[in-house]
Amino acid sequence: MRLARPLEKLIRELEKLPGIGPKSAQRLALHILRQPAVEVRELARALVEAREKTFPCSRCGNLTEIDPCWICTDPQRDESIICVVEQASDVMAVERANYQGKYYVLNQNPRLMDSGSLEELNLQGLLNFIKGGRVQEIILATNPTIDGELTARYIARVVKSFGVRITRLAHGLPVGGDLEYTDELTLRRALEGRREI
Amino acid sequence: MRLARPLEKLIRELEKLPGIGPKSAQRLALHILRQPAVEVRELARALVEAREKTFPCSRCGNLTEIDPCWICTDPQRDESIICVVEQASDVMAVERANYQGKYYVLNQNPRLMDSGSLEELNLQGLLNFIKGGRVQEIILATNPTIDGELTARYIARVVKSFGVRITRLAHGLPVGGDLEYTDELTLRRALEGRREI
């Protein structure tokens, strides 16, 4: 099938995005051709500006357009707690849960099982936070995967000597989930973590 | 939740696209931030260029970057058949079925039941094709909906006096479909259109 070249090019570009197959790319491209030119330029500008004006905060690693980021400099936030996460998207998830402390974003793909290179994790910023003297607790909120677990344990080992409290997010049943369809490992953890009511 | 402003802006722009909800927009935006800047600029440019450099062909209404479009000027294509479709996306679908004739794209949303304004359909280009004298058949490939049917019948009435053959796409079972789950109207049409084997 031959298409107008700029349309074909757009479809090919859209197909590169995750979760966008050939059909969706075509549908999106045709939708875009129907929009006012000014709105399409707006989208194009948003893409370029997001890419060029956001960067990891030099203190915590979270995505920001000012350095240090607003979370690092916000006096309202509890600087005695630091939540360590793998990615900026994890910050968004924890923020939605109404967490009020600070963050440390590893920004490294923990494919530790492959490389065994835990030592490559950049923990300098985290150690700087701790040495600042106000940190009382570090929540290791890496993913509940094997890699996430290994990362958490490694970090726990590194920071243990500083005498701060080190915690890990609880495992258990997802709220609104179904006992019957919960995998046995999660259920075992939920049993181990049971609480008095 | 507060985000880096350029990131938030990008998420809002992406959410405007059809089929992209808040979660997908966030996922796409974070993906984009991880891409090389040159690739993001490429996508942005593709968006703007597709919007600004494609337009409906002055002869057939299909999307093109040259006028008349390549289908209108391709000497290999059978100019005795014209396939009338509602939208440029329909051209793409018919092209995939390996059709070798020409097209006429209505480029009008036939919401005819509401407005009753069939007379507003722009058929001048179609009549120009017919008056050119080489057209022998017009395939009315409007959608198999009530609006599409009404549009097809209206066009058939308009072009009947020119003595060309007027056809409509066959109705019937979709290939790979399931008899059990075929709606009764489709099944009735499939029975009516049955053929000797």
Side-chain angles (χ1 to χ4, degrees):
Chain A
M1 176 177 43
R2 229 162 97 187
L3 292 177
R5 208 115 32 93
L7 174 58
E8 200 177 349
K9 167 86 174 133
L10 176 57
I11 292 173
R12 259 187 291 122
E13 287 292 328
L14 291 170
E15 276 177 1
K16 292 182 190 167
L17 298 173
I20 310 273
K23 288 247 172 170
S24 311
Q26 181 186 309
R27 198 165 43 91
L28 283 173
L30 289 169
H31 169 87
I32 281 156
L33 294 194
R34 283 193 300 268
Q35 301 314 299
V38 57
E39 284 188 22
V40 177
R41 277 197 296 272
E42 195 69 7
L43 169 59
R45 185 165 32 231
L47 283 161
V48 172
E49 294 208 339
R51 177 59 185 78
E52 293 183 349
K53 295 193 176 166
T54 60
F55 50 87
C57 169
S58 65
R59 284 200 205 162
C60 74
N62 189 20
L63 285 170
T64 182
E65 85 272 31
I66 43 167
D67 196 32
C69 74
W70 73 273
I71 295 182
C72 279
T73 54
D74 185 351
Q76 306 288 326
R77 313 237 1 167
D78 185 350
E79 54 185 358
S80 70
I81 309 184
I82 294 189
C83 179
V84 178
V85 294
E86 291 175 16
Q87 318 254 2
S89 50
D90 301 327
V91 172
M92 297 186 196
V94 178
E95 281 291 280
R96 279 194 291 268
N98 214 18
Y99 169 76
Q100 293 296 326
K102 307 248 166 175
Y103 291 95
Y104 187 71
V105 185
L106 296 170
N107 279 326
Q108 265 151 316
N109 259 1
R111 237 174 261 131
L112 307 169
M113 299 298 282
D114 301 341
S115 65
S117 56
L118 277 163
E119 283 77 11
E120 283 173 21
L121 271 178
N122 179 12
L123 299 178
Q124 198 49 55
L126 181 61
L127 297 177
N128 289 345
F129 272 129
I130 298 169
K131 288 170 186 163
R134 258 166 267 171
V135 178
Q136 288 166 25
E137 177 177 353
I138 291 174
I139 304 173
L140 297 172
T142 50
N143 280 322
T145 58
I146 294 179
D147 283 339
E149 282 300 335
L150 287 175
T151 306
R153 282 180 208 183
Y154 175 76
I155 298 173
R157 239 184 9 252
V158 171
V159 301
K160 206 167 55 179
S161 62
F162 293 92
V164 297
R165 189 173 170 224
I166 300 167
T167 58
R168 186 100 177 87
L169 291 184
H171 285 293
L173 303 179
V175 177
D178 198 321
L179 202 77
E180 186 181 348
Y181 298 115
T182 305
D183 67 288
E184 59 187 49
L185 202 58
T186 301
L187 206 45
R188 207 183 303 163
R189 298 289 190 88
L191 280 168
E192 287 165 10
R194 69 192 182 277
R195 296 174 169 219
E196 301 263 357
I197 55 166
Chain B
M1 177 179 41
R2 230 162 98 187
L3 292 177
R5 207 119 29 94
L7 174 57
E8 201 178 347
K9 166 86 174 137
L10 175 57
I11 292 174
R12 260 187 291 123
E13 288 292 327
L14 291 171
E15 276 176 1
K16 292 182 190 168
L17 298 173
I20 310 275
K23 287 247 171 166
S24 311
Q26 181 186 309
R27 198 166 41 92
L28 283 173
L30 289 169
H31 170 85
I32 281 156
L33 294 194
R34 283 192 301 268
Q35 302 314 301
V38 58
E39 285 189 20
V40 178
R41 277 197 298 272
E42 194 70 6
L43 169 59
R45 184 165 32 230
L47 282 162
V48 172
E49 294 207 338
R51 177 60 185 80
E52 293 183 350
K53 294 193 179 165
T54 60
F55 51 87
C57 169
S58 64
R59 283 200 206 164
C60 75
N62 190 20
L63 286 169
T64 183
E65 86 273 31
I66 44 167
D67 196 30
C69 75
W70 73 274
I71 295 183
C72 279
T73 54
D74 185 350
Q76 306 287 327
R77 311 233 8 162
D78 185 351
E79 55 184 357
S80 70
I81 308 184
I82 295 187
C83 180
V84 178
V85 294
E86 292 175 14
Q87 318 253 3
S89 50
D90 301 327
V91 172
M92 297 186 196
V94 178
E95 281 290 280
R96 279 193 291 268
N98 214 19
Y99 169 74
Q100 292 297 326
K102 307 247 166 174
Y103 290 95
Y104 186 72
V105 185
L106 296 170
N107 279 327
Q108 267 151 315
N109 259 359
R111 238 174 259 130
L112 307 169
M113 299 298 281
D114 300 340
S115 66
S117 56
L118 276 163
E119 283 76 13
E120 283 173 20
L121 270 179
N122 179 12
L123 299 178
Q124 197 49 55
L126 182 60
L127 297 177
N128 289 345
F129 271 128
I130 298 170
K131 287 170 186 163
R134 257 166 267 172
V135 178
Q136 287 166 25
E137 178 176 352
I138 291 174
I139 304 172
L140 297 172
T142 50
N143 279 321
T145 59
I146 293 180
D147 284 340
E149 281 299 336
L150 287 175
T151 306
R153 284 183 206 182
Y154 174 76
I155 297 173
R157 242 188 0 255
V158 170
V159 301
K160 205 167 55 179
S161 62
F162 292 93
V164 297
R165 188 172 171 224
I166 301 167
T167 57
R168 185 100 177 87
L169 292 182
H171 285 294
L173 303 179
V175 176
D178 199 319
L179 203 76
E180 187 181 347
Y181 299 114
T182 305
D183 67 287
E184 56 187 49
L185 202 58
T186 302
L187 206 46
R188 208 184 301 164
R189 298 289 189 89
L191 280 167
E192 287 165 8
R194 67 191 182 278
R195 296 176 170 216
E196 300 263 357
I197 56 164

